[in-house]
């Protein structure tokens, strides 16, 4: 589409959306519904985002499938059956393709098109967007649906490019199945993707060496085929469950939040509570006690419980000790949800190598750790992501006065509500830093943000305005609030990707909002009820 008076080589839309994962697809659906001319730009060749790129063995969601799915259309929910309690990546990708087909979304998506720059035209109140295909796009609104975990961390291990065998990265796994049968395999990293990969390939490989710097807290998923009773119950009470999800601190009904305090609960009762949630599996553990992520001594009671579990499962006492996290509070790094992770270390072909004290180097033959060189046929890097800001920092985004987002965020990301940045009008972030995002069931948070953005654009139209931006004061207040809430919790105590600690040189700032999904939603709704408090609206027709 082109509009009169513009450069004819320049396409023009009401709204440009960057990314075609859960966020971008839903944003496109909503934009169309409200009659906006919309275009999505996606670097990958198809829809799916996270679930397109992360196809490593064992990749699966860690929130129960019926909760980790769109809620905006009851018919979509009723006509889609999940085969497992926790869907694996191929099924999640099928689901997102099904969504794209069902709402005929593909015709408005430019695939294999990476957005490289976006600059705000202050006179016209429009974003001028550039792509790696030479495209130039003008759009009133620009929505960054670029994902919190979409840019893998650069491999910073010395010698990484010297290895002569097969090399794999969990975040860009080959399309075809990799045959590890009989091979000597090494894997570096023990975060969520590594835990899933290790568990899946251990029975197949000749030998597996796991290089661990920091052990993760991992909770059993108890995965299996979808339980027909659970499905029936969810469908019968869908609206009530979805409403509860939106109010739950982490957006997961199964993580029922208790208001009991671990420290006020007698030890045997406390242990029963942990056992009960451990038996339920997954993030049910999240809400077990209200003080778990607030008070170190309360957290310690859970840490001790997990340590006992690991010692029960892992037969070799020395390996068990290495697998027990000791340097950070439980939950202050993302908890893994596994399908027999600790059990893997009882296999004769699996060896855990502690690299907490002596860093590793990669050699042409394998990996050197301490004094020893381990030789491999294949090496897997599972090093995590440049989380929350990685994708945005790769785009040359310029707001008022040509100021770049990079400069603006030099000391760490600053936003109002995780939705907008002062000085960058009409630029919306989906699950941006300063919103619950990665501390939640992300589909719940994505829907809330997209709904908010869509309502905001409608409100601008009603007021005959064509620009909205966060005020510097509101942003200042919100950044301080996020920090204040984070400092009331144990989160900042870990060197986690929540604070950017995994990426050398990244400013240490706690990025997600830990106040809870329900609380945050209420804050966003109140801002709207008060006439978009903290935002300034303007019109290009009335400068
Ligand atoms: C392995 C893994 C497992 C996860 N498991 C869970 C889970 O169990 N529960 C949960 O709640 N969350 C999970 N997450 C988080 C997950 O990212 C979100 O749940 C959700 O999929 C995010 O959707 P999104 O559309 O916001 O971002 P993404 O799915 O990351 O999509 C962003 C898209 O934007 C594209 N893009 C980025 N930059 C550009 C650019 N400049 N130009 C064009 N395109 C661009 C990317 O190619 C990508 O396709 C997981 C993440 C990973 C990596």
């Amino acid at each position: 589409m082109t509009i009169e008076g513009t450069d004819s080589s320049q396409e023009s839309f009401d709204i440009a959306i960057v990314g075609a994962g859960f966020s971008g697809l839903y944003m496109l659906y909503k934009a169309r519904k409200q009659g906006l001319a919309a275009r999505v730009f996606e670097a990958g060749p198809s829809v799916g985002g996270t679930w397109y790129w992360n196809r490593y063995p064992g990749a699966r969601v860690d929130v129960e499938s019926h909760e980790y799915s769109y809620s905006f259309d009851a018919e979509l929910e009723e006509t889609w059956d999940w085969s497992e309690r926790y869907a694996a990546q191929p099924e999640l990708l099928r689901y997102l393709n099904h969504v794209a087909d069902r709402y005929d979304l593909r015709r408005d998506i430019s695939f294999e098109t990476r957005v490289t720059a976006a600059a705000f035209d202050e006179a016209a109140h429009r974003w001028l967007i550039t792509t790696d295909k030479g495209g130039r796009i003008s759009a009133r609104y620009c929505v960054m649906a670029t994902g919190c975990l979409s840019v893998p961390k650069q491999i910073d291990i010395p010698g990484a490019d010297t290895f002569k065998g097969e090399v794999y990265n969990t975040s860009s796994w080959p399309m075809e199945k990799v045959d590890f049968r009989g091979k000597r395999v090494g894997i570096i990293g023990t975060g969520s993707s590594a835990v899933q990969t290790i568990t899946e390939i251990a029975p197949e490989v000749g030998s597996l060496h796991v290089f661990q710097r920091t052990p993760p807290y991992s909770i059993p998923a108890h995965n299996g085929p979808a339980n027909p009773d659970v499905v029936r119950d969810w469908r019968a009470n869908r609206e009530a469950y979805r409403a509860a999800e939106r109010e739950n601190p982490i957006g997961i009904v199964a993580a029922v939040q208790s208001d009991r305090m671990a420290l006020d609960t007698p030890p045997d009762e406390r242990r029963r509570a942990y056992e009960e949630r451990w038996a339920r599996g997954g993030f049910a553990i999240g809400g077990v006690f209200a003080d778990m992520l607030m008070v170190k001594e309360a957290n310690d009671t859970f840490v001790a419980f997990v340590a006992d579990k690991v010692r029960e499962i892992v037969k070799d006492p020395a390996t068990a000790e290495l697998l027990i996290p000791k340097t950070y509070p439980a939950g202050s790094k993302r908890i893994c949800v596994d399908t027999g992770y600790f059990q893997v270390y009882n296999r004769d072909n699996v060896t855990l190598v502690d690299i907490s004290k002596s860093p590793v180097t990669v050699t042409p033959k394998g990996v050197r750790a301490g004094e020893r060189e381990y030789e491999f046929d294949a090496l897997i890097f599972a090093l995590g992501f440049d989380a929350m800001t990685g994708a945005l920092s790769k785009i040359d985004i310029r707001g008022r006065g040509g100021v770049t987002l990079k400069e603006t965020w030099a000391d760490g990301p600053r936003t109002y509500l995780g939705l907008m940045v002062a000085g960058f009008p009409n630029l919306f972030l989906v699950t941006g830093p300063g919103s619950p995002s990665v501390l939640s069931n992300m589909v719940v948070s994505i829907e809330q943000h997209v709904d908010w953005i869509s309502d905001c654009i409608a409100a601008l139209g009603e007021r005959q305005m064509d620009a909205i931006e966060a005020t510097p004061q509101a942003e200042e207040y919100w950044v301080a609030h996020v920090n204040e809430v984070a400092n009331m919790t144990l989160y900042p105590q870990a060197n986690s990707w929540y604070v950017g600690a995994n990426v050398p040189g990244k400013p240490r700032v706690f990025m997600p909002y830990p106040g809870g999904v329900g609380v945050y939603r209420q804050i966003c709704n109140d801002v709207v009820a008060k006439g978009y408090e903290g935002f300034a609206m303007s019109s290009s027709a009335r400068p």
Side-chain angles (χ1 to χ4, degrees):
M1 179 189 295
T2 50
I3 54 171
E4 273 178 49
T6 61
D7 178 345
S8 61
S9 65
Q10 182 175 289
E11 289 184 292
S12 183
F13 299 96
D14 295 321
I15 181 166
I17 301 160
V18 190
F22 265 102
S23 301
L25 293 179
Y26 183 44
M27 191 70 245
L28 173 59
Y29 170 87
K30 287 286 287 194
R32 267 202 204 149
K33 278 247 164 201
Q34 64 189 121
L36 300 174
R39 189 86 197 158
V40 176
F41 301 92
E42 166 57 56
S46 189
V47 299
T50 290
W51 303 109
Y52 176 83
W53 298 110
N54 292 270
R55 39 182 88 229
Y56 57 84
R60 100 179 33 256
V61 69
D62 58 16
V63 175
E64 290 180 62
S65 316
H66 55 270
E67 295 216 45
Y68 185 80
S69 56
Y70 289 121
S71 70
F72 65 83
D73 181 351
E75 218 178 275
L76 170 64
E77 282 207 67
E78 268 150 34
T79 53
W80 181 267
D81 291 313
W82 294 104
S83 68
E84 288 180 283
R85 185 174 169 193
Y86 298 89
Q89 174 270 335
E91 190 169 10
L92 288 154
L93 187 56
R94 274 203 301 282
Y95 172 73
L96 286 163
N97 274 284
H98 168 72
V99 169
D101 292 338
R102 182 184 167 96
Y103 305 107
D104 188 20
L105 298 178
R106 278 178 231 274
R107 66 182 158 86
D108 287 325
I109 307 177
S110 301
F111 291 110
E112 297 188 85
T113 307
R114 180 174 290 282
V115 168
T116 52
F120 187 64
D121 177 338
E122 292 185 55
H125 283 185
R126 297 185 74 86
W127 280 91
L128 300 173
I129 292 156
T130 313
T131 73
D132 64 351
K133 291 279 155 68
R136 297 194 307 132
I137 298 101
S138 162
R140 174 75 66 207
Y141 305 104
C142 180
V143 177
M144 292 297 177
T146 43
C148 291
L149 299 170
S150 56
V151 173
K153 190 191 138 171
Q154 272 191 343
I155 300 176
D156 55 358
I157 301 171
D161 53 356
T162 62
F163 182 62
K164 296 276 185 269
E166 300 163 33
V167 176
Y168 302 98
N169 289 287
T170 49
S171 52
S172 53
W173 202 263
M175 290 282 184
E176 61 282 0
K177 182 174 161 40
V178 178
D179 187 356
F180 285 123
R181 276 176 304 174
K183 288 185 182 156
R184 298 166 303 165
V185 181
I187 181 164
I188 303 178
T190 49
S192 194
S193 300
V195 163
Q196 293 185 330
T197 306
I198 291 162
T199 312
E200 185 74 12
I201 66 173
E204 180 192 334
V205 297
S207 67
L208 180 64
H209 282 77
V210 178
F211 294 89
Q212 171 188 276
R213 194 176 56 186
T214 316
Y217 286 93
S218 194
I219 306 292
H222 304 307
N223 190 30
N227 179 336
D229 294 336
V230 172
V231 174
R232 219 172 293 121
D233 177 48
W234 182 266
R235 285 197 173 144
N237 300 292
R238 197 191 87 84
E239 282 183 25
Y241 281 135
R242 288 299 193 183
E245 206 172 52
R246 292 181 190 118
E247 296 310 318
N248 180 280
I250 59 171
I252 302 175
V253 179
V256 180
Q257 179 63 51
S258 160
D259 52 12
R260 288 167 71 196
M261 301 291 170
L263 293 181
D264 295 344
T265 307
D268 53 339
E269 229 177 277
R270 198 163 56 206
R271 190 169 180 95
R272 268 203 302 281
Y274 290 142
E275 287 286 3
E276 193 265 326
R277 298 258 177 158
W278 185 274
R280 274 200 246 161
F283 283 115
I285 207 79
V288 61
F289 289 113
D291 52 354
M292 193 159 114
L293 267 166
M294 311 295 284
V295 181
K296 172 82 170 46
E297 292 72 25
N299 195 276
D300 286 346
T301 66
F302 180 65
V303 169
F305 171 80
V306 173
D308 286 350
K309 284 286 176 202
V310 176
R311 288 186 191 112
E312 265 170 41
I313 299 169
V314 180
K315 295 201 181 97
D316 174 46
T319 305
E321 283 316 303
L322 283 178
L323 287 166
I324 295 169
K326 298 187 176 86
T327 55
Y328 63 101
S332 59
K333 285 184 178 217
R334 191 169 172 99
I335 283 185
C336 301
V337 177
D338 71 80
T339 308
Y341 175 62
F342 294 117
Q343 288 82 346
V344 154
Y345 293 94
N346 293 332
R347 300 181 60 90
D348 291 338
N349 66 339
V350 178
T351 309
L352 184 66
V353 184
D354 176 23
I355 55 167
S356 61
K357 291 175 195 82
S358 51
V360 290
T361 49
V362 176
T363 68
K365 288 183 183 163
V367 170
R368 180 175 294 284
E371 295 301 298
R372 207 178 139 185
E373 185 177 15
Y374 299 82
E375 293 189 11
F376 300 121
D377 302 308
L379 192 53
I380 302 171
F381 293 101
L383 301 180
F385 295 87
D386 183 354
M388 305 209 66
T389 54
L392 294 169
S393 70
K394 286 198 171 308
I395 306 173
D396 181 11
I397 302 172
R398 290 170 189 263
R400 284 197 187 282
V403 174
T404 65
L405 189 67
K406 223 179 205 154
E407 294 163 52
T408 310
W409 283 6
D411 296 328
R414 302 172 57 80
T415 69
Y416 181 37
L417 302 173
L419 277 161
M420 295 198 89
V421 183
F424 295 78
N426 290 0
L427 180 79
F428 295 98
L429 312 178
V430 183
T431 64
S435 72
S437 55
V438 291
L439 300 181
S440 68
N441 170 357
M442 286 205 61
V443 183
V444 172
S445 291
I446 286 167
E447 284 194 331
Q448 186 246 337
H449 264 193
V450 170
D451 289 344
W452 194 96
I453 294 166
S454 169
D455 290 348
C456 174
I457 291 173
L460 283 167
E462 281 158 21
R463 292 164 167 80
Q464 296 181 332
M465 299 286 180
D466 59 19
I468 181 165
E469 63 188 295
T471 66
Q473 296 81 0
E475 185 177 272
E476 189 69 38
Y477 156 75
W478 187 251
V479 169
H481 176 64
V482 173
N483 277 306
E484 191 189 338
V485 178
N487 288 333
M488 286 160 60
T489 71
L490 302 175
Y491 281 118
Q493 293 191 14
N495 285 323
S496 67
W497 53 260
Y498 295 147
V499 295
N502 61 329
V503 176
K506 198 164 169 171
R508 192 184 175 107
V509 172
F510 191 78
M511 292 184 282
Y513 177 60
V517 164
V519 169
Y520 172 79
R521 177 184 300 270
Q522 193 53 54
I523 294 170
C524 291
N525 291 348
D526 288 348
V527 161
V528 173
K530 291 179 186 158
Y532 287 87
E533 188 180 43
F535 290 99
M537 293 187 180
S538 56
S539 162
S540 52
R542 285 176 276 144

